[in-house]
Amino acid sequence: MRKLTKQVMALSLLFGLAIGLVGCGNRKDTVTDSGSTKNTSTKKQVVRIGAVGQGNSLLGAIGVADSKGFLKEELEEVGYEPEIVGFAQAGPAINEAFAAGEIQLAIYGDLPATVAKANGTDTTIFAIYNSEEQMGIFVRNGVKDVKSAADFPGHKVIVARGTIYHQYFKSIIDDASVKEADIEEINTFSDAASLISSKDADVLITSTSIGYYLESLGLGTVIADSTDHPEWTSQFFGVGLSDYLKENPEVAKAVIKAMLRGQEYIQKNPEEAYSIWAGKSDGYTADIYKKVFAYDTSFDYFSPEITENTIEKLNHLNDFLVSEKLIKNSVDMKNFVDNSYYEEAKAEYDAKK
Amino acid sequence: MSKEKDYIIKVEHLNKHFISGGNDIEVLRDINLQIKHGEFVTIVGHSGCGKSTLLKIMCGLVSYEDGVVERNGHAVDGPGPRCGMVFQEHRLLPWLKIKDNVGFGLKGLPKEQREALVKEHLELVGLKGFENSYPHQLSGGMSQRAAIARGLANNPTILLLDEPFGALDALTRIQMQKEITRIQREQGTTMVMVTHDIDEAIVLGDRIVVMSARPGQIKDIITVETRGQGHMRNSDEFTYYKKKIYGYLFEDAQEEQYEVEYMI
Amino acid sequence: MKTIVRKTIVALIIPIILILAWFYATTRGNIPDGILPSISKVWQAFLEMVESGQLQGDLLVSLSRVVKGYLCSIVFGVVLGALIGMSRTMKELLFPLITVIRQIPIIAWIPLIILWAGIGEESKVVIIVMAAFFPILVNTENGISQTPESYREVAKLYKLSQWKTFTKVYLPHAIPQILVGLKLGLGTSWMAVVAAELIAATSGIGYRMSDARSLMRADVVIVCMLVIGLIGIVMDKLLGSLFSLFTPWKK
């Protein structure tokens, strides 16, 4: 019996250690695997870019760049190939993918990006996707008594926690002096539309694009949005794993150049841009996007440049997250962003013109 | 008329068919049998000769369409309180205590009367004190005794036994044979017992019904002259009956002389 | 006594090894917090959740849902199981359908149930019943229909009515099997409630896990998982002890 016990224990110990080592080792491999080898061959490296929503639903400047082939061109020039990965569960799912090293870059919101950073995932913001992501309050048909956030208590409100909508929600209820505890919140992003159509929820906090889309389906109305409160808007970023960016700076620069080309294209051909965006998701029309961007058709907010304003807004977000106990550690925003990629990319971009 | 009344069980021209797997099997053919009050009749034959079916028809558990079967003067159309049965497995319900098993058929009676009857019959079978035990705590022999107590608890006039000791070991079996003889004598219950054990049939029976295999027919009914004369087993009379019954049951192998040697 | 001590020690070997591996991986290895937080972090999170009363509150909500759903499942499962066990016609009528539905995992049902029953308490109870009722039904049916012919004959012999035969023979025989089904049903109820709360819920321990996930609080997720597992074990053991009280005739 003694001998057997010893053998069992020894085996189990080995087994346990093996798991631990494999676990550590695996993670490292996934990260370095898809990038660090400078290719001398003609085979291109794949860079996986996470995006919110199903399938290839990149919008904004990079969405246009993707559709017009700019993104592929820029990346191919430096020996890379893009693979867009959609995440139905939005920011939180992208964070998990980053933590596991499954994606190298992502286009997603400030709130989830900050949450990831605060929890130890080493990422860097290298570009702006949209410095003023507009959000709104969508109210279902038949719910007559909700005119503003003040009317939320007693209603079921869909708020996807850990996403940009979370902050907007908090901002508007604080503004209306409503306590969160008085509202019945439903935490989902992917099931939002079906819950609205099944009448299981009355209000949805979402982006204006989604809100207008639901309007077009006749499900309800966008009763308010953040166009009159720029401080309530969120920022959407281009984010990457820090190590990956450092080892493959051309990738970030290529993406930024694609964004610049995209932005220029949108400014010159806004109608076409609306159609391009509409074509990315079933049921969306160009009119929806026209409505979304009607408040400012300069499209300056698509500039990839990271500014002081960016950092200021991020600090504000950080304070919000800490005070709401959504993160435990503060994030040093100055070190979270890195505008050097933009600066180099812009210089190269201007030189080419 | 009084002659009729002497027969507690009467079977006349009973035929029984079963349909099994699409085949029509003749199980019993022209069975004629009359059993008197207080008799102990054993039925012996090969397995599958229909003797259990005959017993179950007498009991009322199996229906019959062709023939006359009467019990206590009435045609049998189902089980009744005046006819008890003991099976080869004790069939005590495992979730009931022995006292509740034995009293299973005494539902209509007031509590005291039921308890008294249970106690009396447990004593009768030699299980005094085991009222509150569960069946799994009893040995095979003891369980079968409890089953007998259950069968007798409501004082039936008839007790039918279907190979009741078949599942017991040889020594216990002999013990139980003594017990059942004693009980029958004390209570005076008419007993009809099916067995495949020739020795048992001879030792216990006043009369022995010898049945042949499919279809089941009565070959002979042997009256035992000196029943109850203590241990008959080694007597010549015993050997005589045994040889006779063997002869009936192994007709095809008449050439072989069966030396009857029985050692206990 | 000695065997219990030995058994407990042997049972703890693998968990202890896992804990050691966990400790090693989080201190020496370079697994980020997002994937596997350190033991101390998880412990911290646990203390916080208990102190604020959040853990207890969540557990209470989830457990009350389980109670409601489980009790409903017992009623449906035992009654229907007994009916199917007793009646050939019922079996032929219902059993094929039940067998087919049973193959569909509960996860697949959840979106449909939410669509039909909404996201309130009712839908959670429905989900639990869907999950727990099958093992109870199947085991009840089994126990009833497997009642040996020999016992049924005894009932016939003593001319018991259909109802009396059911209550005095079929049902007692089926009880041990029914209890097996009840045990399985409880475990399934507990799993189902967590699954139901992961999707569109506003309270409960499953909700807490989903919320923690949104905020990358792997430590909270792990606390929830451990608590869920522990409660499952406790419920199972309690039920087991309760059941042995009901079957004094089992050796």
Side-chain angles (χ1 to χ4, degrees), chain A residues 325-343:
Chain A
K325 298 213 181 68
L326 296 170
I327 56 176
K328 279 176 113 178
N329 313 308
S330 248
V331 174
D332 179 3
M333 290 307 175
K334 273 217 142 72
N335 287 322
F336 191 16
V337 306
D338 187 344
N339 202 36
S340 64
Y341 301 101
Y342 172 78
E343 280 159 11

Side-chain angles (χ1 to χ4, degrees), chain A residues 135-243:
Chain A
M135 275 164 301
I137 306 173
F138 175 86
V139 177
R140 175 173 67 81
N141 269 337
V143 178
K144 304 273 180 1
D145 54 341
V146 177
K147 300 278 186 265
S148 71
D151 304 319
F152 282 175
H155 289 275
K156 292 211 177 87
V157 178
I158 302 176
V159 181
R161 290 174 70 79
T163 66
I164 52 174
Y165 311 126
H166 196 169
Q167 189 186 13
Y168 175 67
F169 172 69
K170 286 294 180 103
S171 307
I172 57 176
I173 59 173
D174 281 345
D175 189 62
S177 307
V178 171
K179 280 214 285 271
E180 194 178 354
D182 294 335
I183 305 171
E184 208 184 327
E185 285 174 47
I186 302 170
N187 176 16
T188 181
F189 176 74
S190 51
D191 294 322
S194 49
L195 288 173
I196 288 286
S197 49
S198 66
K199 300 198 168 65
D200 283 306
D202 299 329
V203 179
L204 168 63
I205 306 298
T206 186
S207 57
T208 44
S209 53
I210 298 177
Y212 291 134
Y213 163 68
L214 293 173
E215 241 186 50
S216 74
L217 293 178
L219 290 170
T221 340
V222 177
I223 60 165
D225 62 39
S226 50
T227 50
D228 51 355
H229 282 273
E231 71 277 16
W232 288 352
T233 61
S234 281
Q235 309 185 87
F236 241 64
F237 298 125
V239 182
L241 291 167
S242 307
D243 288 339

Side-chain angles (χ1 to χ4, degrees), chain C residues 159-201:
Chain C
K159 295 176 93 149
L160 259 50
S161 66
Q162 263 279 66
W163 175 249
K164 273 267 155 79
T165 311
F166 173 70
T167 52
K168 300 223 171 233
V169 179
Y170 283 101
L171 199 55
H173 176 265
I175 285 183
Q177 195 69 23
I178 294 179
L179 296 184
V180 167
L182 291 185
K183 242 193 178 192
L184 286 169
L186 186 61
T188 320
S189 298
W190 186 230
M191 287 196 289
V193 82
V194 173
E197 287 174 356
L198 287 175
I199 301 172

Side-chain angles (χ1 to χ4, degrees), chain B residues 10 13 21 33 48 57 83 88 113 121 146 177 189 193 221 226 235 252:
Chain B
K10 187 167 82 165
H13 301 298
L33 182 60
I57 289 175
C83 177
Q88 182 170 24
Q113 203 180 346
H121 286 90
Q177 286 160 7
T189 320
M193 176 155 98
I221 301 179
T226 54
S235 69
D252 309 316

Side-chain angles (χ1 to χ4, degrees), chain A residues 1 8-9 12-13 16-17 19-21 23-24 27-28 89 92-93 95-96 99-100 111 115-116 119-121 156 161-162 166 184-187 191 194-195 198 200 325-326 328-329, chain C residues 6 10 13-14 17-18 20-21 24-25 28-35 41 44-45 48 114-115 117-120 198-202 207-208 210-211 213-219:
Chain A
M1 191 54 205
V8 169
M9 297 221 60
S12 318
L13 208 62
L17 283 175
I19 292 185
L21 286 167
C24 304
R27 213 211 116 242
K28 277 202 124 167
Q89 310 272 22
N95 283 342
E96 285 166 5
L111 198 148
V115 166
N119 280 294
T121 315
K156 292 211 177 87
R161 290 174 70 79
H166 196 169
E184 208 184 327
E185 285 174 47
I186 302 170
N187 176 16
D191 294 322
S194 49
L195 288 173
S198 66
D200 283 306
K325 298 213 181 68
L326 296 170
K328 279 176 113 178
N329 313 308
Chain C
R6 192 185 73 85
V10 172
I13 289 182
I14 305 249
I17 296 202
L18 286 174
L20 288 174
Y24 176 82
R28 300 292 189 79
N30 49 359
I31 296 188
D33 267 352
I35 299 212
K41 265 218 159 166
Q44 272 287 92
E48 276 169 25
I114 290 182
L115 211 64
I119 50 173
L198 287 175
I199 301 172
T202 55
Y207 165 75
R208 188 62 50 202
S210 146
D211 181 58
R213 182 202 172 212
S214 303
L215 299 168
M216 286 206 94
R217 293 295 303 275
D219 50 351

Side-chain angles (χ1 to χ4, degrees), chain B residues 87-88 144 162-169 173 194-196 200:
Chain B
F87 304 89
Q88 182 170 24
Q144 198 59 304
D162 189 357
E163 306 203 37
F165 311 134
L168 305 173
D169 65 272
R173 204 180 308 151
V194 159
T195 178
H196 62 263
E200 187 171 85

